[in-house]
Amino acid sequence: MAKSNLQFKTNYAVSSTIEPFYKGGKVQISKDEKFIFCTCGTRVNVLQIVTGKIVHSIEQDDQEDITSFALSLDDEILVTASKALLLKQWDWKQAQCTRSWRAIHNVPIASMTFDPTATLLATGGCDGTIKLWDVVKQYCTHNLKGSSGVVHLVEFHPDISLLQLFSSASDCGIRMWDLRSSQCLCVLQSHYSPVTSLAFTPDGASMVSSGRDKICTVWDLKSRTARRTVPVYEAVESVVLLPEDEDFSEIGVKTKEIHFITAGSKGVLRVWDASSARCVFAQTLPSPPSAGGSEEGGEEYGDPRSLTYCLPLPSSLRLATVTAEHNILLYQLPSFTTQQQFVGFNDEVLDVKFLGKGDTHIVVATNSSQLKVFDLATSSCKILYGHTDTVLSLDVFKKGSLFVSCAKDKSVRVWRQDPDSGQVSCVAQGCSHANAVGSITCSRMKESFVVSGSQDCTIKVWDLPETIPETDGDMFQLTARVTEKAHDKDVNSVAVSPNDKLLVSGSQDRLAKLWSLGAPGADLALLGVFRGHRRGVWCVQFSPMDQVLASSSADGSVKLWSLQDFSCLKTFEGHDASVLKLIFVSRGTQLLTSGSDGLVKLWTIKTNECVKTLDAHQDKVWGLHATRKDDRVVTASADSNITVWTDVTEVEQAEEQAKQEDQILKKQELSNLLHEKKYLKALGLAISLDQPHTVLKVIKAIRQGEDGAKQLEKTVLKLRQDQKESMLRYCAVWNTNARSCLDAQAVIQVMLTHLSPEELLQYQGARAHLEGLIPYTERHMQRIGRLLQASMFLDYMWQKMRVTGAPASMDSQDEEMDTTSLQVPHPLFMIDKRPGEGGDGTKEQGDGEERWNEGEAEEDGGLEEDTNCPANMEEEEEDDDDDDDEVSITRKASVRGQREENGQNGKENGNHHSGSEESSREEDRGDQTEAKILLSAASLPPLQAIIS
């Protein structure tokens, strides 16, 4: 186990992500109460209530924001409306658009709803019109005009037989429409501000409306009059009727009259008796952080606790509310206890830490005064109220249940999490800084003290009591034991050494300072200053093992410092922007850093090497923390995303080892197959291993066997299509080398012979591979043509050397033998045409006989092969040098013999030789044509035909 802990980490993989899924707008719950539908810019996200995970995300193709959506009551049809004035119908379970059509509205749609039969869809536009659509027959059925301003509310009467539609617009009235006549039956006037919601009784005889004018009205729909007006003393955003057949006596419901729940600007759920206009129950919230957040102060619309939606879940007797901060809470009725809480949007995340005994939770500081504690298993969240301004930094004690926070409100708070229930409460508070507190750290050995650094340039040490209160009712007031003017600018980071004896601080003044904490009650003593950064220091950390510390700066570098002489030991450079956070991992042998470039980098200290760069964020990564077991890391960014990473080093190494073992077994199997001459299996195995060289060896082995051409044809044709695609790709590479071009041409000939051009072009990348084959094939044809021409000339000169000085009768006999030798289809010698040769194969006058053995063999890749002589191909390397020497000697002898013959016989013999050479050239041209046909006559024209 110890050995595995000391192993360097090489990679992390994303295990879970908490990302924004709701940024304001409509929220709807499915009828089966399993999913929450909510808008997020250009998407409609589907959140599974049980797991808290996004299971579907329906996104507009045109990247236009969604203005409204509606889910049918049978949970089958989802329709969205975007700013592009398009309506889209979705099969949301498959995230597929089944139909889209243009809305006849001239401006974006503000509201929409389905009727109880899921047949009619009503859309209210910002142009004051209402349109009804038959989603089954796919046409517009009604166009209702008369509303003034934006139609922000449309609702069908629950009794579909009445065919009535209710709407409300900016004129504050509620219009009742008869869909049979397309006429407005009446306008219900009671509110003096926009109507926000309508709730119908099950029998459809009564209706409750709410508005931002702080009243709710109970309507008698038969007489179309207001039965009662209920003053609720807050701007109401949503109203929900309590089920009549349930017992709610514990919250004060004594009669069977209409009772309704209101949700509004104060953030408190209230139950009202419609008959008496009296509030029978009011929800109790956690104590507000300040007087400004009290119930009276909360009347101001836009308060973080104010509610924007209230949705019933009648089957499970629950209630869902949506807050102005985009949080979704589920309450159990009738006790109104919080069951689940989801955070739709975190805004900019400034810090994050693992929390709990087994690091099962994370505590998050966002760009708000509330802290959020997430359960990593369910993504459920608890919101902690206490600070009155933005929380800037967090730290957790060693045991994991106690943590501290600091904020712009100049205060420091200590929080405790109950390990059993998971409830978190504030147990201590300290306020004595003169400015925002930007950094905080806690003692490492015992829960004895806290150190904070502020924008007032000071460091304060806060002693904790030996017995910390269990609940926030007995909150302990902290007092600073030591206050030290530490830097000339903001203190960005503070850290305590593992033995609780040293303290390091990093500041915007580009310095990091080392302090001695000393005994309890003693002042801070400055031990040394670390200089070297060119810009402000963002983070400082002690190594858990060695007497070194690390610092990160806005200059994009990370430096490692010695605590003995305060010298810089190493500098790590790799980030393109400020390095905001760093932590030690792997027992102090590696570093993790995060920067403004959105990247997280893993460094090995010993080698100064960046082992891995993790890219999962689009903005500054402010938060970075590792678990106590060092197996997981959490990062938090200004892009509102929180990512949990898992160390996958051991997993990847195990996979790599298994892969290597599998490769060894396959190679052994391949060797056995070749030995047993099971070429088809060997070829398939070599292709699966993606080893072109091994495939080439198999091809050569097949061709060198008995009846090689037929065996190759039989083997290649039995391959699957994907294997043939790989073979074609390999052939394009083999054909570029003279050593392997013959094997490539043999395989290509089989394919071109048995596969039609249409079949070949269906192969992946076939066109590019075939285009690459043509120029090299032409080059090989030219090379072998030159080879045949030179070999015929050599054969001719060899015969002439034998007849030099012979009688005429012998000469005639030899010429006959010469003609016979020229007809041999398999020349025994190989020679290239050299620079300096004439068109007839004779060497031009001048020096250069020494260059006879140099030439085109080097030009064409270092090897010349006789296509018609397999024996020469097998022993080409051994025979090349001997052939060159023999050719050189033969050529010199022939030149001397020709000169002597010319001197003795004069012009007659010269004419005789010219005639023989002319005859030889004619024979050469015939053999050259034959050689070209042997190489690629079956390949090149079909290739060009396929490409064209």
Side-chain angles (χ1 to χ4, degrees), residues 432-445:
S432 63
H433 277 289
N435 209 331
V437 186
S439 60
I440 195 164
T441 186
C442 51
S443 56
R444 297 298 164 203
M445 298 184 70

Side-chain angles (χ1 to χ4, degrees), residues 190-257:
S190 172
H191 294 277
Y192 297 96
S193 66
V195 178
T196 54
S197 69
L198 301 175
F200 297 90
T201 57
D203 58 3
S206 302
M207 179 182 73
V208 179
S209 64
S210 65
R212 297 193 181 114
D213 52 3
K214 302 183 181 181
I215 62 169
C216 290
T217 305
V218 182
W219 302 89
D220 185 345
L221 295 182
K222 293 181 179 179
S223 61
R224 300 171 189 172
T225 58
R227 185 188 302 173
R228 181 175 289 277
T229 299
V230 181
V232 294
Y233 310 107
E234 66 171 334
V236 180
E237 292 295 324
S238 190
V239 61
V240 173
L241 294 180
L242 279 179
E244 296 179 355
D245 54 350
E246 297 291 339
D247 181 17
F248 293 100
S249 58
E250 65 178 275
I251 57 173
V253 178
K254 306 296 183 182
T255 64
K256 294 296 182 180
E257 295 294 329

